[in-house]
Amino acid sequence: MSSTTTLDIAPFLSQKSQLWKACGIRGLFPLENIPGMISLLAGRPNPSTFPFESITMKLKPALAGMPTPSRDDDPLNLTLDGDILSEALQYGGTAGLARFIEWLEEFQTHVHKRVRDDTWSVTVGSGSQDLMFKACEALVHEGDSVLVETPVYPGTLGFLAALPCSLIEVHADGQGLNPVNLESILANWETDHPGKRAPKFLYTIPSGSNPTGASIPEHRKVAVLQLARKYNLLVLEDDAYAFLYYGPAGQQARSYFALESEVNAERGRVVRFDSFSKVFSSGMRLGYMTAPPRLAAVVNMITSNTNLQPATLTQVMAYTLLSRWGPAGFLEHCAAVADVYRIRRDAFERVARKHLAGLAEWTTPVAGMFLYIKLLVHADGRAADSHALVTQKAVARGVLAVPGSAFMPGGSATPFVRVSFSLIEEAGAEEACRRLRDVILEARAEAEAEAR
Ligand SMILES: Cc1ncc(COP(=O)(O)O)c(C=O)c1O
């Protein structure tokens, strides 16, 4: 371990990142922790004026029987009152609630087997997307190029489009990001992009990707990390679906964050984003970033001057439950959640196979909530753009899904459509696939008539 180096992230930060300064009030908050200090600092409202006496969270029985013994009499109820409630209803730390951050840092050590050292820290955000945007804001400098796994989550495309960078597509397949494609872009960079600075980072969704459903195997992650080091890129690992892994037990690939020391004898090149949206609640708006502290400091400065902090109430709710469950209990909960999606995947695939055989194909996902379906409009296998088909013909027949073009940074044509099986019941799924079948058959008939 002694030969492990730490990447200096400073050269990756944009010039603009230096314009963010600590907020004149929030920057002084740490001084309040000095023993004996009397604080007249913040314009915090007096919590005695808040109308809430207590908040009780009643857990669902099926998910409540977690292993950690409870100090409450009633294991199904978690009540927030007194000082904890006052804290939950008050302004709080910019990077998140200190003991929630502490819990998450311990959790990251547990899950990713990374020792706690000064090469990384956890920052809580209002969902992981909040942090992804701020991290990109901190990194992207005018004229930069950013490598984007393609197809990709349109939420990321949305904020990257507003930053002064070019998006370079790195094509993924049924096994996720393909390192061969990444290498080809990087090896030919100077020839293909004369005079342009080499890309600064790669954005990738390694587990149960939105939209492809693909999960990249560990050997590909190793190759990606080696390329990241060779070509000096950061890896932004958006692992929003990591906890929804339902593939064969023990076969989930380790994260980029877990692997970087082993593969490159180096730390600090991976910036990881986790989300509570898929396993606790998407409305609580909680996510966390695990990043080199220097980058986290810029993200925190952006937060302190924009939305101030992630919501304290939902952090206290999450922390109260997590500290009762412990890391093992939380992971057990995640496994139970993932199982729900596995059952739904199986049910959806059953009806999809029944109605779409020969008309569509897809790779079975092992995580997440999406099937990325290739529509076989031409019987001879030629690709046809799905856009009009999905946005017009399918809508007319009463089935809604997302056309593949929505996931292409350049909006290019694609024969794919993303369907989500997270909510649909089997009868609805069956009818949706039947309608999709009619749409494809109609398009096939039209294509054949045109060819005649
Ligand atoms: C790949 C991906 N990343 C990030 C997000 C946003 O997550 P959060 O709710 O934590 O902001 C989503 C939401 O669907 C997503 O699909």
Side-chain angles (χ1 to χ4, degrees):
M1 272 313 241
S2 54
S3 59
T4 302
T5 57
T6 301
L7 180 80
D8 178 12
I9 202 159
F12 291 85
L13 297 174
S14 68
Q15 280 175 14
K16 200 173 148 215
S17 71
Q18 293 168 17
L19 299 177
W20 292 98
K21 304 289 178 217
C23 158
I25 299 172
R26 285 190 162 250
L28 296 171
F29 276 6
L31 300 181
E32 290 185 319
N33 298 326
I34 296 176
M37 186 67 76
I38 299 174
S39 176
L40 305 175
L41 266 189
R44 293 191 185 96
N46 191 312
S48 67
T49 63
F50 297 155
F52 307 98
E53 181 68 26
S54 73
I55 296 177
T56 297
M57 302 179 280
K58 184 160 186 194
L59 302 183
K60 290 176 181 164
L63 301 174
M66 293 298 167
T68 311
S70 155
R71 56 181 176 80
D72 297 343
D73 294 329
D74 178 357
L76 290 183
N77 289 330
L78 297 169
T79 296
L80 307 177
D81 55 15
D83 289 347
I84 291 178
L85 183 64
S86 294
E87 185 185 19
L89 297 175
Q90 189 56 275
Y91 288 119
T94 303
L97 202 70
R99 55 190 192 285
F100 188 37
I101 294 174
E102 171 69 23
W103 193 96
L104 291 170
E105 289 184 346
E106 270 307 308
F107 181 68
Q108 294 300 65
T109 324
H110 177 82
V111 173
H112 305 283
K113 310 285 179 269
R114 284 278 299 248
V115 287
R116 283 181 77 173
D117 57 24
D118 59 4
T119 63
W120 61 276
S121 63
V122 161
T123 302
V124 181
S126 304
S128 60
Q129 186 151 335
D130 172 43
L131 297 162
M132 293 189 311
F133 166 65
K134 288 168 180 166
C136 289
E137 171 74 21
L139 293 170
V140 169
H141 181 65
E142 182 84 44
D144 274 349
S145 297
V146 169
L147 297 158
V148 182
E149 175 178 338
T150 299
V152 71
Y153 169 53
T156 304
L157 282 183
F159 67 71
L160 284 177
L163 292 173
C165 56
S166 325
L167 304 186
I168 310 295
E169 300 182 0
V170 188
H171 291 278
D173 54 30
Q175 301 252 290
L177 184 83
N178 190 335
V180 173
N181 297 340
L182 179 63
E183 175 147 41
S184 149
I185 292 168
L186 293 167
N188 297 308
W189 184 261
E190 280 171 22
T191 319
D192 294 345
H193 305 271
K196 212 149 165 58
R197 284 194 301 277
K200 190 177 257 181
F201 64 82
L202 164 72
Y203 168 82
T204 179
I205 307 171
S207 319
S209 162
N210 182 0
T212 64
S215 298
I216 182 172
E218 201 165 296
H219 66 90
R220 280 195 177 188
K221 283 185 176 172
V222 169
V224 169
L225 281 170
Q226 286 165 341
L227 290 168
R229 175 151 198 175
K230 180 170 174 192
Y231 293 97
N232 199 24
L233 321 164
L234 301 179
V235 176
L236 270 58
E237 171 175 46
D238 172 6
D239 224 351
Y241 299 91
F243 297 124
L244 298 192
Y245 173 78
Y246 41 72
Q251 286 189 26
Q252 184 169 20
R254 285 176 290 169
S255 67
Y256 284 109
F257 180 63
L259 286 167
E260 68 168 344
S261 307
E262 184 178 311
V263 173
N264 285 336
E266 180 196 54
R267 292 173 289 213
R269 195 175 285 285
V270 175
V271 182
R272 180 176 168 85
F273 300 90
D274 284 280
S275 174
F276 280 107
S277 288
K278 324 295 173 186
V279 286
F280 264 13
S281 150
S282 37
M284 283 169 84
R285 304 307 302 129
L286 287 179
Y288 52 104
M289 174 181 78
T290 308
R294 180 94 193 254
L295 174 62
V298 180
V299 167
N300 291 334
M301 248 168 317
I302 299 175
T303 298
S304 80
N305 290 292
T306 54
N307 61 325
L308 304 182
Q309 58 161 104
T312 327
L313 177 58
T314 54
Q315 289 183 80
V316 170
M317 288 169 68
Y319 172 75
T320 306
L321 183 53
L322 289 169
S323 56
R324 172 186 282 202
W325 279 354
F330 175 56
L331 290 173
E332 231 174 271
H333 165 77
C334 294
V337 174
D339 221 36
V340 169
Y341 289 101
R342 182 186 54 73
I343 290 164
R344 284 177 174 274
R345 175 206 63 181
D346 289 348
F348 197 97
E349 278 202 301
R350 229 179 352 261
V351 293
R353 279 195 209 102
K354 179 168 150 197
H355 294 287
L356 299 175
L359 297 173
E361 56 191 30
W362 61 90
T363 305
T364 299
V366 294
M369 48 179 74
F370 305 111
L371 284 190
Y372 201 49
I373 299 181
K374 184 176 180 188
L375 305 179
L376 304 176
V377 168
H378 299 295
D380 60 8
R382 264 179 309 127
D385 185 20
S386 66
H387 189 83
L389 205 88
V390 177
T391 57
Q392 294 166 23
K393 281 190 166 45
V395 172
R397 286 188 184 261
V399 57
L400 261 186
V402 189
S405 54
F407 307 100
M408 306 303 284
S412 53
T414 143
F416 288 89
V417 57
R418 187 198 79 177
V419 304
S420 168
F421 50 81
S422 58
L423 293 174
I424 193 90
E425 298 303 339
E426 195 153 347
E430 173 123 39
E431 184 53 29
C433 288
R434 205 178 283 133
R435 291 178 190 180
L436 215 46
R437 173 189 176 82
D438 292 344
V439 170
I440 303 168
L441 286 174
E442 182 191 335
R444 255 197 193 181
E446 282 177 12
E448 277 163 14
E450 260 172 44
R452 265 185 241 122

